[in-house]
Amino acid sequence: DEFFTIYPEVTKIVRFQGNDLDRELAVKRALDQLGKPYSLINFNCENFANHVQFGKSFSRQINTAIFLVVVITMVNLLSE
């Protein structure tokens, strides 16, 4: 509870899944990203969190947004 008082912008914490070796690798992956520039589409906070946790950089939110843009564009093109 005190953590959320100090950092009110944090809305949830996802528990790390894995053993001690997995944690060690996750810390290494996180440190390897130091200095990497933020990009809303190519490397946002969700990309970073997934890269650290799973070793793969992906963002479901961005993928969903891109999919919706493509669908909306296709619907608009087909309705002309």
Side-chain angles (χ1 to χ4, degrees), residues 31-51:
L31 292 174
D32 287 345
Q33 299 305 307
L34 285 176
K36 184 170 183 176
Y38 176 86
S39 167
L40 178 63
I41 295 175
N42 296 317
F43 198 75
N44 59 39
C45 54
E46 188 181 15
N47 289 100
F48 175 78
N50 287 324
H51 176 73

Side-chain angles (χ1 to χ4, degrees), residues 1-79:
D1 291 333
E2 183 180 336
F3 180 84
F4 291 105
T5 304
I6 297 170
Y7 301 100
E9 66 276 6
V10 176
T11 57
K12 74 175 183 175
I13 297 174
V14 178
R15 185 175 195 81
F16 183 83
Q17 304 199 3
N19 58 33
D20 288 342
L21 177 60
D22 295 328
R23 285 183 181 83
E24 190 175 320
L25 291 172
V27 169
K28 182 180 180 340
R29 286 191 295 263
L31 292 174
D32 287 345
Q33 299 305 307
L34 285 176
K36 184 170 183 176
Y38 176 86
S39 167
L40 178 63
I41 295 175
N42 296 317
F43 198 75
N44 59 39
C45 54
E46 188 181 15
N47 289 100
F48 175 78
N50 287 324
H51 176 73
V52 169
Q53 174 81 38
F54 306 112
K56 297 178 186 176
S57 176
F58 63 93
S59 171
R60 286 191 178 106
Q61 294 170 355
I62 295 298
N63 291 344
T64 300
I66 290 170
F67 175 77
L68 289 174
V69 167
V70 169
V71 168
I72 291 168
T73 302
M74 295 299 291
V75 167
N76 284 334
L77 289 172
L78 293 174
S79 65

